[in-house]
Amino acid sequence: MKYIFRQANSEDSAQIWSILEKAIQRRKEEGSEQWQDGYPNPSVIKSDIEDQHGYVLADNDTVIAYCALLVNDEPAYADIKGKWLTNGDFVVYHRVAVSEDYLGKGLAVQLLQCIEDFAREKNIYSVKADTNFDNAGMLRIFEKLGYVYCGEVYFRGGSRKAFEKKLVSED
């Protein structure tokens, strides 16, 4: 089945927040500390959309996955305890979440592949991301897609595992 990857708009907000609320609860049930501190929240999603950083994977009018995408914009990444693979332009993504109704269908992988395509379309060949040390699902996806562990970055007082994937041009 082919889904559409597109920029989020304000009409998507309620669906996006519903997906994230359930993802926050799933993290809690899995015993993860990730997203258990009031972040993300509806105002973060509103800012993502207003700043044109919010992106969705959609099945017709239904939002089935969400992420925030930024280009060369993650101040915390400048202070990595470790070393990035590259020092040039990069796409960074945050707040990856898949609708509960679509779990187990490989959508997180599909979403990350869309992010890689987004980067290539902008002639950017580095994708960076981070996750909590206890987010086993995301750590598995990074491994499956060939991300390299680069070190630790710090957000809101906590350490996060940082990863990078070097992309190749599809010329």
Side-chain angles (χ1 to χ4, degrees):
M1 177 158 268
K2 183 71 175 134
Y3 301 117
I4 297 164
F5 181 70
R6 62 170 173 78
Q7 200 160 37
N9 58 56
S10 57
E11 291 79 41
D12 298 323
S13 295
Q15 289 184 74
I16 292 167
W17 179 238
S18 176
I19 289 168
L20 278 163
E21 267 186 316
K22 290 176 178 142
I24 290 165
Q25 184 60 35
R26 279 196 308 277
R27 294 281 81 72
K28 183 177 185 172
E29 289 167 4
E30 292 167 359
S32 175
E33 294 175 17
Q34 187 167 352
W35 293 353
Q36 302 306 307
D37 61 356
Y39 169 95
N41 55 55
S43 67
V44 170
I45 304 315
K46 183 175 188 281
S47 293
D48 284 349
I49 292 170
E50 287 172 354
D51 296 340
Q52 300 184 332
H53 298 310
Y55 282 80
V56 297
L57 202 57
D59 184 359
N60 295 313
D61 293 332
T62 304
V63 174
I64 60 175
Y66 177 76
C67 68
L69 287 181
L70 298 94
V71 176
N72 297 330
D73 187 15
E74 184 45 76
Y77 283 12
D79 295 324
I80 187 169
K81 295 236 181 323
K83 185 170 177 21
W84 294 111
L85 302 176
T86 66
N87 294 314
D89 291 338
F90 64 94
V91 168
V92 58
Y93 55 90
H94 294 296
R95 298 180 279 291
V96 171
V98 173
S99 167
E100 205 141 272
D101 298 335
Y102 287 78
L103 290 176
K105 298 179 186 298
L107 289 185
V109 168
Q110 189 172 333
L111 180 65
L112 270 53
Q113 290 168 333
C114 289
I115 293 167
E116 291 177 17
D117 291 343
F118 170 92
R120 283 190 196 94
E121 286 167 14
K122 295 189 174 308
N123 294 312
I124 297 173
Y125 300 99
S126 166
V127 179
K128 296 178 180 180
D130 62 84
T131 195
N132 223 49
F133 65 93
D134 60 7
N135 187 336
M138 200 68 193
L139 291 168
R140 274 193 307 275
I141 291 168
F142 285 156
E143 183 177 354
K144 179 178 184 174
L145 293 180
Y147 280 73
V148 175
Y149 173 73
C150 294
E152 307 285 314
V153 294
Y154 297 85
F155 289 97
R156 296 182 319 282
S159 172
R160 316 256 299 158
K161 291 181 170 276
F163 294 83
E164 182 176 6
K165 181 175 181 178
K166 291 197 312 194
L167 305 177
V168 292
S169 170
E170 293 187 340
D171 294 340

